Amino acid sequence: MKKHLAELLGTFTLVFAGTGAIIINDVSGGVIGHAGIALTFGLVVMAMIYTFGDVSGAHLNPAVTLGFAVAGRFAWKDVPGYVLAQIVGAVAASGVWRLLFPAHEKLGATLPSGTATQSSILEFILTAILMLVILRVSTGAKEKGITAGIAIGGVIALEAMFAGPICGASMNPARSLAPALVSGHFEHLWIYLTATVLGALAAVPCCLGVSECGCCGASHQHSTSP
């Protein structure tokens, strides 16, 4: 339960800060700005990795949890509990913003400004890059240590900075699902539920291709599940 609570609290904080930056930017006339929103997402993920990395691994993202499972670094039996905790935390965060700003229409939902094809491809590639970085800087299925938080938070901020204006740079099904559920904006949600997961899975063979033998695979199932 400590691991599930850590995932719930970590994902709550991620969605609360990240979508909150979008909402407050909207209601304040753009004071935060696009760069500020991108940095908020990167910084909050970095902070949560240092806060909960040694408890649950600080996945904070169903696509990341599935990626770890496919890589053989995380037990499949633990996936449903992690994903449920992440979704509950994300929805709770969007619920708080609905209470605070009941008139806000989208609550930071991810919606493409370009075509659905553009956003699908972008979300796939962005999540693949993110997952590859996570696999390379993690120990087993735990994102911890001096470099993990900086590297992962940095790549999230970087990707949100350049791709956010087109696709929203979600890279996280829970982050997109929560504001969509609470605001009722389900248009194009399928992009952020499918492309992100496929991108995370695509990172696993890429990691295998550049890593020493034993980095990913069934041999990790018994020893590195957080």
Side-chain angles (χ1 to χ4, degrees), residues 4-36:
H4 293 159
L5 181 58
E7 287 296 308
L8 188 154
L9 293 173
T11 312
F12 172 90
T13 307
L14 162 61
V15 175
F16 183 76
T19 62
I22 296 172
I23 294 166
I24 292 174
N25 188 63
D26 289 343
V27 302
S28 65
V31 169
I32 296 175
H34 170 63

Side-chain angles (χ1 to χ4, degrees), residues 1 5-6 25 30 46 57-58 62 64-65 79 82 87 98 103 116 143 148 158 160-161 171 175 194:
M1 290 303 297
L5 181 58
N25 188 63
M46 180 178 69
V64 170
T65 297
V79 169
Y82 264 54
I87 292 174
R98 171 55 78 208
E143 299 163 5
L158 167 68
M161 195 82 73
M171 303 169 274
R175 175 261 176 272
T194 58

Side-chain angles (χ1 to χ4, degrees), residues 27-130:
V27 302
S28 65
V31 169
I32 296 175
H34 170 63
I37 293 169
L39 287 173
T40 298
F41 274 104
L43 289 171
V44 71
V45 169
M46 180 178 69
M48 290 303 100
I49 288 172
Y50 291 130
T51 303
F52 296 119
D54 61 343
V55 179
S56 67
H59 296 186
L60 317 178
N61 184 336
V64 170
T65 297
L66 287 169
F68 274 131
V70 169
R73 298 194 190 185
F74 189 72
W76 280 101
K77 65 181 178 63
D78 295 329
V79 169
Y82 264 54
V83 172
L84 179 60
Q86 292 156 359
I87 292 174
V88 170
V91 172
S94 290
V96 171
W97 284 116
R98 171 55 78 208
L99 291 173
L100 292 174
F101 294 93
H104 196 277
E105 183 182 358
K106 298 176 182 177
L107 298 178
T110 40
L111 297 168
S113 63
T115 67
T117 300
Q118 286 175 333
S119 290
S120 295
I121 294 172
L122 279 170
E123 288 291 339
F124 176 86
I125 295 174
L126 295 174
T127 313
I129 293 171
L130 171 63

